[in-house]
Amino acid sequence: MSAARVPMPLPDSRWDFARWLLVAATLAAFVLYAPGLQGPFLFDDPANLAVLRAWYNGQADWRTVVLGQGGLIEARPLSMLSFLATVAAGGPGPLSYKAGNLLLHAACAALGFRLLSRTLAQDPRLAPQARALAAIAVALWLLHPIQVSTVLYAVQRMAQLSALFALGAVLAYFLARTRLTSRARDRTAIALLFAAFPLLVVAGVLSKQNAIVAPLLCLAFELAYFPGKRPLAIRLFFGLFLALPFVVALLAFAAAPQTLLRGYSDWGFSPDQRLLTQTRVLMDYAGSLLWPRGEHMSLFRDDFVISVGLFAPATTALAIAGLLALSALVVELRRRAPSLFAGWFFFLLAHSVESSVLPLEMYYEHRNYLPAFGLALALVGTLALWPRRGAAGLRLAPLAWFATAACLVLALQTYGRVQTWRSKPAIVANALIHHPESLRARQTQAFIDLAEGRTDAALAQMHRLQRSAQPRTRLLARIDAVSIACLAGRPADPSELTRALTDAQAKVTLDEVLVVDLLAQASAGDRCPGVASPQVSALVLGLLRAAPTQDPAAHPRRQLHLIAALVLARSQDWAGAQAQAEGAWTTQAPLEVADVLVQAYLANGRRQDAERVLRQIQARTRPYDRAGQALIAQLRGRIQTH
């Protein structure tokens, strides 16, 4: 009987493949993305980046940019600091943001290669080709068309930085873990585990909160590559950074569940519906990563059907069964293919924040930025399932041909997506082809049409939505149709707003806030014949009355109260404005609420209440907040002269 064959390291000359593949893939990424760097700001870019333009123009202090008005974590200070550096270097236009994102994309790829090459080196059947396989996995990740919606979406710098720090934290753990395998005590390993790791996780969380998944990713690698008894340091590591936070989070949720669940007031679905839907979302993500079709990918995925039960739609049960079956199979194959196990659970666990019970929107491609590393690892990890002889000595030439062909296919798809992302009309037109039921895509197209003078085409988009089977969609479309008529200078039919209220929902969401806010702006200054302040305020109050059981503290309700207060104030109905502003007011409410509330109190002869509100905003407004201090001075002047 022959002795077991021990994998031998390959000669140094054969390692060059990994280096050249990474260099070629990185250069290709720069070439592919270059045409899209001048593309537009999208979705929440303007809202998140407006303060940076104010800083650039000398209207805001840098501390307002970095720290914002909330706490450190809510403000995502490291991401905002990165944006500040971007604007300082290249100005506030889209090019500087997106060029910075592209550089970060390359940095994440480099760090991901370091991590995956070390993890694959722990896979007995793949170790001889660890660097080559890691380079293939990272090249596929780097050139995948799904990454376009992160790299060319300016504000998703937050997702990139979070991923970068999370990868760094997991790499610190893995370096420490391999050192502890050969030595029970190692000062460098201890420093990596209990100093470098938490610092990197904190940096990730201060960029975007989903970096908190890093300990879970370490657990996936621990179970995959390090079976058997674990050193004390590793047990302490997982106890301190995984078990303890989990218990604290459970206790916090048990003590104050509304802290988490109150966020569902922003959306038209419940926690159980979100969890059910996310099983289908995860399967869709995996399918898009493993079998990408660039033309079907889109920012506009609000058409994703909500699961309201196991069989509604029926694919919900299929998705749950599929996830369980795949996970069970991967667990069964763990000893033969540890990298398959590590990669699959890396993918699932990296989604464990944004695909959990947290009240977030259902579907966004950029949420795959970090998890895609896991699926790429799982893909190359399947090579361990080849017959033993082949697995022990995988030939470099077939791998090189496979990698080249796969990268070319992905690069072509990425090129197509980048060309689409050069303009907002192209992005929306593509979405309407492949996602015709997207409310947002049709709303966006309508306002593109309106801006280009095609009012009839804009109204046609709304009329199509008014035939929807979804009551909320009909409601929003009727309100938007009135706004479009107002903005186009056409007579608007106020009865459309009355008809819209027949579809009013038992819970108002951010969608209602956005369309009503637009209507309030479109009808301001008596520029919309037939629709003025009384009609707009009646609409808002009708929406609020239709949702009597909704939490009064729900953010969308407070926003609607604010809009009603502003509309009533401009028609000098100060009694009504006061009542609505009080419904919007909290000590942490936007300064705009304080402004209208103080004006209403003064108009209604309640000077002491106006002074109380002034004291409250003085207490919370930081000295360097120029806009806040200017408003305080303005309100103080009004009170003194009243």
Side-chain angles (χ1 to χ4, degrees):
M1 183 180 293
S2 60
R5 185 176 178 183
V6 178
M8 298 297 292
L10 295 175
D12 288 344
S13 62
R14 301 185 71 185
W15 295 100
D16 290 342
F17 167 73
R19 182 182 305 115
W20 286 110
L21 178 60
L22 281 177
V23 170
T26 303
L27 291 175
F30 279 100
V31 172
L32 289 168
Y33 278 99
L37 298 181
Q38 294 278 13
F41 286 130
L42 299 160
F43 279 10
D44 54 343
D45 281 344
N48 281 288
L49 304 178
V51 67
L52 287 141
R53 183 174 289 277
W55 172 81
Y56 184 77
N57 293 328
Q59 299 166 346
D61 187 271
W62 69 269
R63 289 167 292 185
T64 301
V65 175
V66 175
L67 300 178
Q69 293 297 315
L72 280 177
I73 292 180
E74 292 86 349
R76 297 179 179 179
L78 286 185
S79 291
M80 297 308 293
L81 187 62
S82 169
F83 288 139
L84 195 72
T86 289
V87 174
L95 174 62
S96 57
Y97 289 105
K98 298 184 183 191
N101 287 8
L102 183 55
L103 291 173
L104 268 177
H105 192 48
C108 286
L111 190 56
F113 171 72
R114 289 202 63 189
L115 174 62
L116 296 191
S117 61
R118 291 176 183 276
T119 58
L120 286 162
Q122 295 295 316
D123 189 321
R125 306 190 74 190
L126 300 180
Q129 293 285 21
R131 283 174 54 87
L133 293 174
I136 291 171
V138 172
L140 297 177
W141 177 89
L142 190 65
L143 297 174
H144 201 289
I146 205 170
Q147 310 295 20
V148 171
S149 58
T150 303
V151 178
L152 296 184
Y153 187 172
V155 80
Q156 293 314 320
R157 172 85 58 85
M158 298 176 179
Q160 291 183 292
L161 285 170
S162 174
L164 183 73
F165 288 119
L167 288 170
V170 178
L171 178 61
Y173 149 80
F174 209 87
L175 292 172
R177 188 64 179 89
T178 52
R179 293 177 74 96
L180 290 174
T181 301
S182 56
R183 285 171 282 185
R185 295 182 180 180
D186 187 294
R187 290 183 178 179
T188 300
I190 299 302
L192 287 169
L193 288 174
F194 298 103
F197 178 86
L199 287 175
L200 287 165
V201 172
V202 168
V205 169
L206 295 180
S207 301
K208 189 176 180 181
Q209 291 87 337
N210 59 349
I212 201 70
V213 301
L216 287 170
L217 305 182
C218 296
L219 180 63
F221 285 149
E222 179 70 26
L223 296 176
Y225 297 113
F226 303 103
K229 186 176 180 180
R230 293 178 173 82
L232 176 61
I234 294 299
R235 283 178 278 152
L236 288 174
F237 172 84
F238 284 110
L240 182 62
F241 297 123
L242 187 57
L244 180 60
F246 181 74
V247 171
V248 170
L250 281 181
L251 292 175
F253 177 73
Q258 286 305 311
T259 303
L260 171 66
L261 299 179
R262 185 178 293 120
Y264 276 92
S265 63
D266 292 1
W267 306 106
F269 49 80
S270 63
D272 56 329
Q273 289 172 348
R274 187 174 201 280
L275 286 176
L276 287 172
T277 307
Q278 284 303 305
T279 61
R280 294 170 38 243
V281 169
L282 287 172
M283 292 296 282
D284 194 277
Y285 286 158
S288 294
L289 287 166
L290 295 174
W291 191 259
R293 293 184 296 167
E295 69 279 7
H296 286 266
M297 296 177 179
S298 178
L299 272 179
F300 295 92
R301 290 309 309 270
D302 53 303
D303 62 336
F304 203 89
V305 177
I306 304 297
S307 294
V308 296
L310 278 175
F311 300 98
T315 49
T316 306
L318 291 176
I320 294 172
L323 288 171
L324 291 175
L326 283 171
S327 299
L329 177 62
V330 167
V331 170
E332 181 65 24
L333 296 172
R334 178 169 65 99
R335 293 187 181 277
R336 291 181 58 196
S339 297
L340 171 61
F341 176 96
W344 173 249
F345 283 102
F346 186 111
F347 170 75
L348 292 181
L349 294 172
H351 274 299
S352 61
V353 170
E354 292 173 316
S355 288
S356 70
V357 74
L358 293 180
L360 303 172
E361 194 158 352
M362 285 294 180
Y363 193 114
Y364 272 120
E365 290 175 0
H366 63 254
R367 292 175 181 168
N368 287 282
Y369 195 73
L370 177 61
F373 275 108
L375 220 52
L377 174 61
L379 183 64
V380 298
T382 60
L383 296 174
L385 299 176
W386 286 15
R388 181 171 294 278
R389 179 172 295 181
L394 289 169
R395 296 174 59 191
L396 187 59
L399 289 176
W401 283 112
F402 163 78
T404 302
C407 286
L408 283 174
V409 170
L410 294 178
L412 287 172
Q413 295 198 41
T414 297
Y415 173 79
R417 286 205 82 192
V418 169
Q419 296 304 310
T420 298
W421 277 58
R422 295 176 70 177
S423 74
K424 184 179 291 185
I427 295 171
V428 177
N430 181 74
L432 288 175
I433 293 172
H434 300 289
H435 302 283
E437 300 306 314
S438 168
L439 169 66
R440 285 184 185 164
R442 295 214 170 270
Q443 287 175 317
T444 306
Q445 182 61 54
F447 288 101
I448 289 173
D449 289 335
L450 180 64
E452 297 180 358
R454 300 190 298 268
T455 304
D456 289 336
L459 290 170
Q461 295 289 349
M462 294 302 103
H463 294 156
R464 186 186 191 281
L465 291 173
Q466 287 171 22
R467 297 191 296 271
S468 170
Q470 301 298 321
R472 177 169 276 119
T473 299
R474 298 195 300 267
L475 165 73
L476 302 174
R478 288 190 184 280
I479 299 172
D480 270 343
V482 174
S483 297
I484 289 170
C486 291
L487 292 169
R490 294 187 178 185
D493 183 0
S495 66
E496 283 295 296
L497 300 180
T498 305
R499 292 191 191 96
L501 286 174
T502 62
D503 287 316
Q505 300 294 292
K507 177 165 65 172
V508 294
T509 68
L510 292 176
D511 287 328
E512 282 91 335
V513 172
L514 293 173
V515 297
V516 170
D517 185 50
L518 177 63
L519 178 63
Q521 296 178 48
S523 61
D526 297 324
R527 64 184 180 186
C528 186
V531 175
S533 297
Q535 287 77 25
V536 178
S537 58
L539 171 69
V540 178
L541 297 178
L543 292 172
L544 291 169
R545 281 195 300 270
T549 60
Q550 188 175 15
D551 183 358
H555 178 65
R557 287 188 68 91
R558 291 192 183 280
Q559 289 293 99
L560 285 182
H561 280 300
L562 171 59
I563 295 170
L566 293 170
V567 170
L568 291 165
R570 74 189 186 201
S571 61
Q572 301 298 302
D573 181 356
W574 290 110
Q578 177 186 313
Q580 294 305 310
E582 287 175 337
W585 175 248
T586 69
T587 55
Q588 297 302 314
L591 292 176
E592 191 176 19
V593 183
D595 188 5
V596 69
L597 186 56
V598 167
Q599 291 185 63
Y601 279 145
L602 292 175
N604 295 326
R606 298 177 58 174
R607 179 185 175 120
Q608 289 186 341
D609 287 320
E611 291 174 341
R612 171 179 53 80
V613 172
L614 178 61
R615 288 193 299 271
Q616 288 172 334
I617 62 171
Q618 283 178 315
R620 80 178 210 212
T621 304
R622 293 164 179 158
Y624 54 77
D625 182 355
R626 296 175 189 172
Q629 293 298 336
L631 178 62
I632 288 172
Q634 182 181 5
L635 295 180
R636 185 184 297 115
R638 284 178 178 165
I639 292 172
Q640 290 173 349
T641 58
H642 184 73

